């Protein structure tokens, strides 16, 4: 029995090591390429410890309006998560607390919209934004991305709203609290881990989104960092594509996500597991 337990632990740790290796090697290669001079990028045999340089970052800033795109990405991502989380929380609370005929069907239909490919909705969304004079604007991108994130957020949050005891809300109402006070002082604090998790997931989705900024923006005032990868591709090199600049852009996109997940990892784990046990 002891031998079997030791063998299972060894197999488990080996599987974890293989998984971590598969995950970390591409990230290591991404950073390595971003910090490697172009002349050493395709050396044979490969040089895993080249003369590191920051010239690739300077070249990236010179080739695209980096600061403008970065500002747009931040505004786009934060605007999308604020809009999506607020709307999703209110919708989830309504689905969880208001008993109306067909509410389950409406929730199912809302969740089912996640199965629709984003590319299918591009043309009608473009027409809507054009009619609202929101083409090539951050607010237009925020409205589109925020609405896209709502179904997933509602699906996640409605379960956690149902786990908040109704008696707590009723006691607060008896004491004279109104609905906004009940939501702000009782429901939201009780759902803090799940709200943090949904916020981070939505931020990652918005930060990495390429389709909507690419289609609905045409100038520097609305383009995001993800769009710049299409502009980098226009500059060919003797090695084909400018892989060092592409990797540099990848690093600038990945680093904020790594920092965010590292800082908020406890909140993410708590939000994902708080509803697993009663």
């Amino acid at each position: 029995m002891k031998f079997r337990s030791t063998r299972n632990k060894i197999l488990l740790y080996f599987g974890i090591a293989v998984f971590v290796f598969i995950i970390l090697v591409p990230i290591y290669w991404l950073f390595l390429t971003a910090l490697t001079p172009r002349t050493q990028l395709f050396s044979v045999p490969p040089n895993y410890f080249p003369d590191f340089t920051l010239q690739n970052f300077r070249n990236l800033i010179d080739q695209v309006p980096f600061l403008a795109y970065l500002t747009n990405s931040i505004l786009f991502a934060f605007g999308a998560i604020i809009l999506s989380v607020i709307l999703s929380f209110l919708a989830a609370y309504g689905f969880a607390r208001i008993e109306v005929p067909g509410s389950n069907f409406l929730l199912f239909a809302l969740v089912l919209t996640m199965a629709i490919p984003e590319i299918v909705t591009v043309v009608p969304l473009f027409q809507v934004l054009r009619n609202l004079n929101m083409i090539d604007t951050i607010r237009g991108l925020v409205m589109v991305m925020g609405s896209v994130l709502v179904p997933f957020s509602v699906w996640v949050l409605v379960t956690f709203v149902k786990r908040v005891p109704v008696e707590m809300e009723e006691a607060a109402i008896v004491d004279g609290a109104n609905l906004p006070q009940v939501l702000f002082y009782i429901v939201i604090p009780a759902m803090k881990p799940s709200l943090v998790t949904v916020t981070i997931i939505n931020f990652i989705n918005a930060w990495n989104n390429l389709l909507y900024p690419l289609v609905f923006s045409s100038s520097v005032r609305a383009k995001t960092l993800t769009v710049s990868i299409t502009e980098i591709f226009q500059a060919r090199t003797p090695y084909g594509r400018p892989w060092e600049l592409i990797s540099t852009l990848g690093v600038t996109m990945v680093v904020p996500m790594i920092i965010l997940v590292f800082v908020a990892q406890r909140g993410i784990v708590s939000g994902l597991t708080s509803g697993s046990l009663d």
Side-chain angles (χ1 to χ4, degrees):
M1 183 66 66
K2 184 176 181 180
F3 172 77
R4 181 179 300 177
S5 176
T6 303
R7 183 191 62 183
N8 291 338
K9 288 183 179 180
I10 293 175
L11 292 176
L12 175 63
Y13 292 147
F14 177 77
I16 294 175
V18 172
F19 176 78
V20 171
F21 178 80
I22 294 174
I23 295 297
L24 292 183
V25 166
I27 297 177
Y28 165 74
W29 197 261
L30 178 70
F31 279 82
L32 181 68
T33 306
L35 297 172
T36 301
R38 178 182 297 179
T39 55
Q40 302 182 30
L41 195 60
F42 293 96
S43 60
V44 179
N47 188 357
Y48 296 100
F49 300 97
D51 299 327
F52 293 125
T53 179
L54 297 178
Q55 184 61 41
N56 294 332
F57 291 89
R58 290 189 286 267
N59 293 339
L60 177 65
I61 294 174
D62 292 337
Q63 187 172 132
V64 298
F66 180 82
L67 293 180
Y69 287 179
L70 177 61
T71 302
N72 292 340
S73 292
I74 294 174
L75 295 176
F76 169 58
F78 276 97
I81 64 172
I82 291 173
L83 178 63
S84 63
V85 171
I86 292 177
L87 294 180
S88 301
F89 171 72
L90 296 177
Y93 185 83
F95 279 117
R97 292 290 188 258
I98 302 176
E99 295 291 340
V100 296
S103 60
N104 291 334
F105 174 78
L106 291 177
L107 179 60
F108 174 77
L110 180 64
V111 174
L112 191 62
T113 60
M114 292 190 297
I116 302 176
E118 293 181 352
I119 192 66
V120 175
T121 63
V122 165
V123 173
L125 286 175
F126 187 90
Q127 294 176 344
V128 170
L129 292 182
R130 183 179 59 184
N131 294 334
L132 296 175
N133 294 321
M134 289 186 179
I135 294 294
D136 197 28
T137 62
I138 294 295
R139 66 179 184 276
L141 295 177
V142 168
M143 184 181 71
V144 171
M145 193 68 211
S147 64
V148 170
L149 296 173
V150 164
F152 169 79
S153 303
V154 172
W155 178 54
V156 173
L157 293 178
V158 70
T159 302
F160 292 95
V161 174
K162 292 180 178 180
R163 294 183 180 275
V164 178
V166 180
E167 293 77 12
M168 296 174 59
E169 301 177 33
E170 294 175 345
I173 293 175
V174 170
D175 291 338
N178 53 33
L179 181 59
Q181 291 174 328
V182 170
L183 295 179
F184 189 78
Y185 292 107
I186 296 178
V187 181
I188 292 179
M191 295 179 57
K192 184 178 178 181
S194 58
L195 288 172
V196 170
T197 302
V198 170
T199 298
I200 294 175
I201 293 175
N202 287 357
F203 181 83
I204 293 174
N205 289 331
W207 179 263
N208 292 330
N209 188 268
L210 170 63
L211 178 63
Y212 297 131
L214 180 63
V215 175
F216 301 134
S217 62
S218 57
S219 67
V220 176
R221 67 177 183 174
K223 288 184 178 181
T224 61
L225 272 179
T226 54
V227 179
S228 62
I229 194 171
T230 63
E231 300 175 355
I232 292 176
F233 267 111
Q234 297 174 4
R236 287 185 171 273
T237 70
Y239 306 102
R241 303 295 185 180
W243 299 113
E244 74 285 356
L245 297 183
I246 296 172
S247 298
T248 302
L249 176 62
V251 169
T252 60
M253 297 293 296
V254 168
V255 167
M257 296 298 96
I258 295 177
I259 296 175
L260 178 63
V261 173
F262 179 79
V263 172
Q265 58 180 327
R266 290 187 177 181
I268 296 174
V269 174
S270 177
L272 292 176
T273 59
S274 59
S276 60
L277 298 175
D278 293 329

